[in-house]
Amino acid sequence: MPIGEPPLMMQALERGVVDATSLSVPASFVAKSKGFFELVNYDNLGLAYPMHAVTTLRPTIGKNPQLVERVLKALVEAVAVFKGNKEKSFAVWRKYMRGASEEFLEETYQHTSAGLEAVPIPSVQVIASALDMISAHYPQAKQTDPSLIVDPSFVRRIDQSGFIVALYKK
């Protein structure tokens, strides 16, 4: 049953509207702290699924590849700041996650930091897995070649330029 964003999912769980729901970090940590039990941990299943993806239309890439590269550089730099400056990351979270305990912030930080790649090369395998999952509702997804969806060239160029290595030397 579609419920909505994590806060609505938590409310539905707490009020007994649903018996279970699928939550990601940090909402899953909130649920555990409220006494709910984890039935399945997607991280431990080894499923390859694009939970966080940057997408654009092919015409955008063709018309303005510099924009695509600047956006990706900003995202890569944000990851480097997040991973390299824990206190700054916590300060931002404290602002938006009012009342979150230091233990909660630490657990969320460790989990998130471990999952963020310094060089986020898009994965054909991940897209293939996602296409397979959605093919139950959209059969045409089975005929889609995942390599036509993924374009790792931008991240590879950024990496080869030395940009990413320089971020982590700061």
Side-chain angles (χ1 to χ4, degrees), residues 27-164:
S28 61
F29 295 151
V30 172
K32 282 184 200 175
S33 75
K34 292 184 176 192
F36 291 98
F37 296 96
E38 182 177 79
L39 300 174
V40 176
N41 184 309
Y42 295 121
D43 293 331
N44 296 339
L45 290 177
L47 295 175
Y49 189 78
M51 298 205 34
H52 307 286
V54 177
T55 60
T56 189
L57 299 171
R58 288 194 191 281
T60 303
I61 292 172
K63 290 177 189 171
N64 201 345
Q66 299 85 3
L67 172 66
V68 174
E69 186 168 328
R70 286 194 312 268
V71 168
L72 289 174
K73 279 183 170 180
L75 290 170
V76 167
E77 187 171 5
V79 168
V81 169
F82 177 81
K83 290 179 109 171
N85 193 334
K86 186 175 172 180
E87 277 312 306
K88 187 174 198 172
S89 300
F90 274 39
V92 171
W93 276 350
R94 282 185 197 104
K95 179 179 177 182
Y96 294 101
M97 299 167 80
R98 292 184 187 104
S101 70
E102 291 302 304
E103 180 182 321
F104 178 81
L105 294 176
E106 181 65 34
E107 186 176 17
T108 303
Y109 180 84
Q110 292 304 323
H111 182 274
T112 304
S113 186
L116 291 172
E117 301 167 314
V119 183
I121 300 286
S123 166
V124 172
Q125 176 195 354
V126 169
I127 297 301
S129 176
L131 288 169
D132 187 50
M133 288 179 198
I134 66 171
S135 67
H137 295 290
Y138 303 99
Q140 67 272 27
K142 282 237 186 247
Q143 285 80 43
T144 303
D145 179 357
S147 65
L148 297 175
I149 297 173
V150 175
D151 182 357
S153 66
F154 285 93
V155 176
R156 285 202 175 109
R157 265 195 310 278
I158 292 167
D159 185 31
Q160 290 168 355
S161 75
F163 179 80
I164 297 173

